[in-house]
Amino acid sequence: MGTLWFPGLNEHSTGICSRVFRDVFHKTRAQNVQATFRVSFLELYNRRIHDLLSPDAGRQRKGERASLEIRESRKQFYVAGETKLDVKTPEDLEM
């Protein structure tokens, strides 16, 4: 995942995720596009999937976190139980 934006850092010091989100938001605004954004942050480590936005993610050590499962429905794949956040501005992604 890239480093999120922090006050005092310039554009080139921020992570790739922050720059991509900011660019997508600015382009949709500039083109007057109505869009809804929903994000999730997942970590795949040792064949286990961890939800980095879960309220318990910061309190549990890596080995203790519950692993999520990939499922298939109507020819689409998804991660069961992942946390999704509705995002309206790039600043909503600053954690």
Side-chain angles (χ1 to χ4, degrees):
M1 182 165 93
T3 303
L4 292 174
W5 181 85
F6 291 97
L9 293 180
N10 64 34
E11 176 70 22
H12 301 290
S13 298
T14 59
I16 187 72
C17 291
S18 298
R19 285 184 270 165
V20 168
F21 292 139
R22 200 171 321 126
D23 190 46
V24 168
F25 278 105
H26 292 306
K27 285 184 179 182
T28 54
R29 279 190 205 141
Q31 296 175 3
N32 228 5
V33 174
Q34 292 271 14
T36 302
F37 297 98
R38 183 172 288 157
V39 298
S40 58
F41 287 103
L42 303 173
E43 172 188 58
L44 177 59
Y45 182 76
N46 283 339
R47 298 183 182 206
R48 297 177 59 119
I49 302 170
H50 303 285
D51 184 348
L52 299 178
L53 294 178
S54 166
D56 297 328
R59 287 183 258 161
Q60 297 174 335
R61 293 187 300 188
K62 267 192 184 178
E64 297 172 350
R65 291 186 201 158
S67 181
L68 302 177
E69 294 181 11
I70 296 176
R71 302 225 173 120
E72 182 179 8
S73 172
R74 297 183 186 156
K75 298 187 181 185
Q76 290 183 338
F77 293 95
Y78 67 96
V79 177
E82 70 181 313
T83 302
K84 295 179 183 178
L85 296 178
D86 289 329
V87 179
K88 293 179 176 45
T89 68
E91 290 75 29
D92 290 345
L93 295 167
E94 295 175 18
M95 297 177 211

